[in-house]
């Protein structure tokens, strides 16, 4: 193939690729999930002081009870989990903990193209 035909072939391929939208471009952003932060409190006996960020882990289940994923919050208790739209249950992972802090599972509904904000506060049991 000579140089002119090769250049024309490559140019035509680039033009076709440029004119044909990719599925991601055509559909737009598809990201959704849960974003939030976990706290624990009270953290001071007798006097009132602010709850503090809490690093912990959760398992995520579908509303039918199927395991989806597991995540761990960072040192500031913050997390972000990408999930498809739907209903989910966040269950705290307390394996290996002798006295787990008080917290029940929480239900979260994820909407299409949105991150649902969630704030979770554990009860430290400190009084």
């Amino acid at each position: 193939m000579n140089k002119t035909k090769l250049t024309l072939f490559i140019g035509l391929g680039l033009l076709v690729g440029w004119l044909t939208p990719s599925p991601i471009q055509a559909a737009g952003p598809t990201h959704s999930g849960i974003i939030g932060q976990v706290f624990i409190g009270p953290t001071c006996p007798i006097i009132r002081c602010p709850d503090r960020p809490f690093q912990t882990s959760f398992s995520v289940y579908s509303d039918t009870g199927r395991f989806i994923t597991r995540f761990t919050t960072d040192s500031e208790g913050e997390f972000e989990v990408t999930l498809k739209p739907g209903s989910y249950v966040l269950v705290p992972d307390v394996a290996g903990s002798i006295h787990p802090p008080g917290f029940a599972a929480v239900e979260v509904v994820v909407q299409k193209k949105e991150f649902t904000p969630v704030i979770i506060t554990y009860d430290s049991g400190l009084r």
Side-chain angles (χ1 to χ4, degrees):
M1 185 178 291
N2 68 31
K3 190 173 181 179
T4 305
K5 287 182 180 177
L6 180 61
T7 303
L8 182 61
F9 181 73
I10 292 172
L12 185 58
L14 291 173
L15 180 62
V16 169
W18 180 71
L19 292 175
T20 306
S22 70
I24 293 174
Q25 290 173 331
T30 58
H31 297 290
S32 60
I34 304 169
I35 188 167
Q37 192 169 14
V38 179
F39 295 94
I40 190 166
T43 57
C44 302
I46 304 172
I47 62 170
R48 185 164 176 92
C49 58
D51 295 345
R52 64 177 171 83
F54 188 60
Q55 187 171 19
T56 189
S57 299
F58 290 87
S59 291
V60 180
Y61 294 89
S62 69
D63 59 349
T64 61
R66 185 172 58 93
F67 174 80
I68 303 297
T69 190
R70 183 174 185 271
F71 68 89
T72 300
T73 64
D74 66 14
S75 62
E76 292 299 312
E78 296 175 343
F79 65 91
E80 182 175 313
V81 182
T82 302
L83 298 165
K84 294 178 182 178
S87 296
Y88 298 92
V89 179
L90 304 180
V91 178
D93 290 341
V94 293
S97 179
I98 298 171
H99 300 288
F103 173 77
V106 63
E107 295 181 27
V108 180
V109 176
V110 175
Q111 302 296 326
K112 186 177 181 181
K113 298 182 185 179
E114 291 183 17
F115 276 82
T116 303
V118 175
I119 300 294
I120 296 170
T121 302
Y122 280 87
D123 182 353
S124 68
L126 186 62
R127 302 287 183 255

